[in-house]
Amino acid sequence: KQEVTQIPAALSVPEGENLVLNCSFTDSAIYNLQWFRQDPGKGLTSLLLIQSSQREQTSGRLNASLDKSSGRSTLYIAASQPGDSATYLCAVTKYSGAGSYQLTFGKGTKLSVIP
Amino acid sequence: SQTIHQWPATLVQPVGSPLSLECTVEGTSNPNLYWYRQAAGRGLQLLFYSIGIGQISSEVPQNLSASRPQDRQFILSSKKLLLSDSGFYLCAWRVWTVANTGELFFGEGSRLTVL
């Protein structure tokens, strides 16, 4: 059974700092990995999607990398801003046969960027 | 462009009352549809998913049910709510195309409080 772990559970950094969020998964035979952001009381917003054949994806100040062999992904946020404060979740999709795909979420890292 | 709508956004219901949460997707065809629940301090729990009209898979046995009467409509129901049904309910969709290889998109969520 796929397990997805995000460490740390919470992180507090001063504004302007570069930071890295971690996501690890136990089964490396994944289809894709997706990073989300969730603001309090809101739905999840998709940030980046990395296919299993890709090593990284970039969007603005965000860069996500994927190392399937070691079962790890990182989300790099450059020059953090208070508006980046949110919970960040990663989710891994694995093909489970018969046209079915299984999605497993981590529990998230709650990021606070202090002005 | 594709959008997803969920309603109601907030709901307060007494124990034993019925429930109906609705989700519709626009701008795509034959999406995979999902219902998740997010309880306070806990991760995302997959409740139901559907790969087509009338095709529902249940992940967690409970007093909830789901239906998909139309291609882009997904409904979560209960005949009698329990206190433990309180939580944040999220609808999600994705399609598998060359342009969108399984990226998952979420609605804004429905906050249910059972008293």
Side-chain angles (χ1 to χ4, degrees), chain A residues 38 41-44, chain B residues 3-10 20-26 33-38 44 47 72 74-76 87-93 105-112:
Chain A
Q38 186 176 28
K42 301 292 186 181
L44 279 68
Chain B
T3 57
I4 180 170
H5 302 283
Q6 252 188 273
W7 70 92
T10 306
S20 181
L21 300 179
E22 191 162 340
C23 171
T24 59
V25 181
E26 297 177 356
L33 295 172
Y34 304 83
W35 277 112
Y36 284 90
R37 178 168 60 199
Q38 191 175 38
L44 283 161
L47 301 176
R72 290 170 289 176
F74 206 22
I75 298 172
L76 182 68
F88 192 48
Y89 289 81
L90 290 156
C91 180
W93 71 272
F105 297 95
F106 281 85
E108 282 297 309
S110 297
R111 173 75 59 190
L112 171 65

Side-chain angles (χ1 to χ4, degrees), chain A residues 40-53:
Chain A
K42 301 292 186 181
L44 279 68
T45 300
S46 178
L47 297 174
L48 290 164
L49 173 73
I50 310 177
Q51 300 299 333
S52 61
S53 59

Side-chain angles (χ1 to χ4, degrees), chain A residues 10-25:
Chain A
L11 181 65
S12 184
V13 300
E15 181 178 3
E17 193 163 290
N18 302 325
L19 60 100
V20 174
L21 305 180
N22 297 295
C23 172
S24 62
F25 45 94

Side-chain angles (χ1 to χ4, degrees), chain B residues 13-17 62-64 78 80-86 89 112-115:
Chain B
Q13 292 285 99
V15 169
S17 64
Q62 55 202 331
N63 67 319
L64 299 173
S78 175
K80 289 186 178 182
L81 284 168
L82 306 173
L83 286 174
S84 59
D85 291 324
S86 293
Y89 289 81
L112 171 65
T113 303
V114 182
L115 301 175

